[in-house]
Amino acid sequence: MRFVAAALLWLSLTGTASAHALWLEPDAAGYQLYFGEFGDNLREGSPGLLDRFEPLPAAKAFGASGDMALKAEKKPTSFQFAGVPEGAGSVVAEQARVTERKQNDKVTRTLGRYSARYIADFSERPPLIPLDIVPTGKPGSFKVFYDGKPLPKAKVEVVTEFGWTKELKTDEGGVFAVELPWKGTYAVEVALVDNTPGTHGSAPYDGMRYVTTLTFKVPDGLAAPARPPVVTPKR
């Protein structure tokens, strides 16, 4: 009963998600990479916003035997990655490109980097991507890294598959902890803006914007409310 009461309190303190991001989910064919809003089960499609991902997202699977590059295949509402080796502890997918925005006579170029990571368990892992979220070895405890260093005071959102979110902040060591009372898939999202200029390939940019998600499944706990039906907007 104490566990149930804690879960209900956690639910009462949450809201709904609203930011677009990439996220990974495993299925019988391998892994699906979606773009949309995890908590609303909103999945952008092709034709539509999914077609803006050019080049296609790159992905790797990481396991005890090393890492393996995965090839993306665009589907109507996702990018599919097949051929993931058995025992892969993490799968990471990324897409980065420079976009331009003109306001009056000024052109601003931004490197946008969407990243997604799926973990098979809560074993402690090192960061693999510029803005990364990794478990610390204990269920519900995570650490955020930026450029290989712990990121303090970062805002994070923990989102359940039925649409509720909880906002948290990392401590001085980049760590945060959250209760995971329900069975099912969770997503953790963090975003960061860095105004340091640079180049991506041959394309210059004035600053960077990162959005990273971490998804995982909790096998035990309370039965969660039903996941919303899949929504694919017509663009």
Side-chain angles (χ1 to χ4, degrees):
M1 288 300 295
R2 185 177 302 171
F3 185 70
V4 173
L8 292 174
L9 176 60
W10 192 86
L11 180 62
S12 71
L13 295 174
T14 59
T16 56
S18 59
H20 267 48
L22 289 174
W23 78 89
L24 281 161
E25 293 191 45
D27 65 5
Y31 283 79
Q32 303 293 332
L33 179 68
Y34 300 104
F35 179 63
E37 299 177 13
F38 174 79
D40 294 331
N41 214 6
L42 187 155
R43 305 175 185 183
E44 297 290 353
S46 175
L49 294 188
L50 217 58
D51 298 320
R52 294 187 181 181
F53 284 84
E54 292 292 342
L56 297 183
K60 284 186 176 182
F62 295 84
S65 58
D67 60 87
M68 175 181 174
L70 304 173
K71 185 178 179 180
E73 180 182 357
K74 186 159 64 176
K75 298 291 187 178
T77 60
S78 70
F79 300 99
Q80 181 182 351
F81 297 100
V84 179
E86 187 175 350
S90 288
V91 175
V92 173
E94 291 189 280
Q95 202 261 8
R97 68 188 183 107
V98 176
T99 58
E100 293 186 359
R101 182 180 179 185
K102 187 174 183 180
Q103 187 172 15
N104 298 324
D105 293 327
K106 183 179 180 181
V107 176
T108 301
R109 298 174 178 88
T110 301
L111 174 63
R113 192 159 193 161
Y114 285 100
S115 304
R117 181 169 180 164
Y118 182 88
I119 53 172
D121 56 48
F122 295 106
S123 301
E124 187 174 6
R125 293 174 172 82
L128 297 170
I129 47 182
L131 180 62
D132 209 350
I133 311 161
V134 296
T136 65
K138 187 173 90 172
S141 179
F142 303 91
K143 195 168 188 176
V144 179
F145 286 86
Y146 178 55
D147 200 21
K149 301 175 183 177
L151 185 63
K153 306 302 180 183
K155 177 184 172 182
V156 298
E157 284 188 341
V158 180
V159 189
T160 69
E161 63 183 10
F162 59 88
W164 292 91
T165 73
K166 183 171 185 179
E167 293 187 359
L168 299 156
K169 278 192 175 181
T170 60
D171 64 15
E172 293 295 338
V175 175
F176 70 95
V178 63
E179 295 288 341
L180 304 171
W182 290 284
K183 291 187 292 185
T185 304
Y186 291 73
V188 180
E189 181 180 327
V190 62
L192 180 143
V193 173
D194 185 338
N195 291 320
T196 305
T199 58
H200 178 66
S202 60
Y205 58 81
D206 304 298
M208 300 170 283
R209 182 177 186 270
Y210 296 88
V211 180
T212 295
T213 65
L214 173 71
T215 45
F216 52 87
K217 286 188 176 180
V218 174
D220 302 307
L222 298 175
R227 194 171 193 177
V230 175
V231 175
T232 300
K234 294 182 179 180
R235 304 288 187 182

